[in-house]
């Protein structure tokens, strides 16, 4: 069997090394982010996030699935205090999950890699709707934070021929 003819040939690997990329500080308050892959059209966002000790994010409802691998530190969902996520933990979150991310003050922070499909619907402490956080919203937050810091974010941007955001 012969190889198929390829209409859109990718002639290079799209590789990012977070040791060489700009960290976008406080992309969200208390969260530093390495954007890796942002696809607003298909609703997928891949990031490495560093959470500061003591940070609690808004309660949120996931419209899609999340894969979260903890690289270092410790965090938990307030709704599951007896199930801390520590270095080496892989967490699968099905669509429809509702929870509140928390990184305890004594944790030293946490560093994690996430693949997220869909959106987070965020709520305040009284369970009132706050906002929708999806790949497009994340991209805009990252661009704004990076611009304020005088850095240019570099991440993989899909399309007919995928490339980097700054190409």
């Amino acid at each position: 069997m012969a190889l198929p003819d390829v209409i859109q040939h990718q002639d290079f690997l799209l590789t990012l090394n977070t040791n060489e990329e700009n960290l976008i500080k406080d992309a969200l308050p208390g969260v530093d982010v390495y954007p890796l892959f942002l696809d607003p059209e298909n609703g997928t966002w891949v990031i490495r996030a560093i959470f500061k000790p003591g940070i609690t994010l808004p309660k949120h409802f996931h419209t899609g699935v999340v894969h979260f691998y903890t690289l270092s530190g410790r965090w938990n969902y307030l709704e599951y205090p007896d199930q801390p996520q520590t270095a080496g933990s892989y967490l699968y979150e099905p669509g429809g999950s509702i929870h509140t991310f928390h990184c305890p003050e004594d944790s030293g922070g946490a560093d994690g890699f996430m693949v997220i499909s869909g959106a987070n619907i965020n709520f305040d402490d009284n369970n009132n709707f706050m906002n929708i956080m999806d790949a497009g919203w994340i991209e805009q937050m990252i661009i704004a934070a990076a611009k304020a810091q005088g850095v240019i974010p570099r991440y993989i941007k899909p399309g007919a021929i995928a490339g980097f955001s700054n190409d």
Side-chain angles (χ1 to χ4, degrees), residues 46-64:
V46 180
I47 60 172
R48 178 179 172 193
I50 300 170
F51 302 93
K52 294 182 174 85
I55 185 76
T56 299
L57 299 178
K59 180 184 286 184
H60 55 277
F61 168 83
H62 288 282
T63 64

Side-chain angles (χ1 to χ4, degrees), residues 58-78:
K59 180 184 286 184
H60 55 277
F61 168 83
H62 288 282
T63 64
V65 302
V66 176
H67 301 271
F68 192 132
Y69 182 78
T70 303
L71 298 164
S72 67
R74 184 178 88 247
W75 65 274
N76 62 276
Y77 289 123
L78 292 179

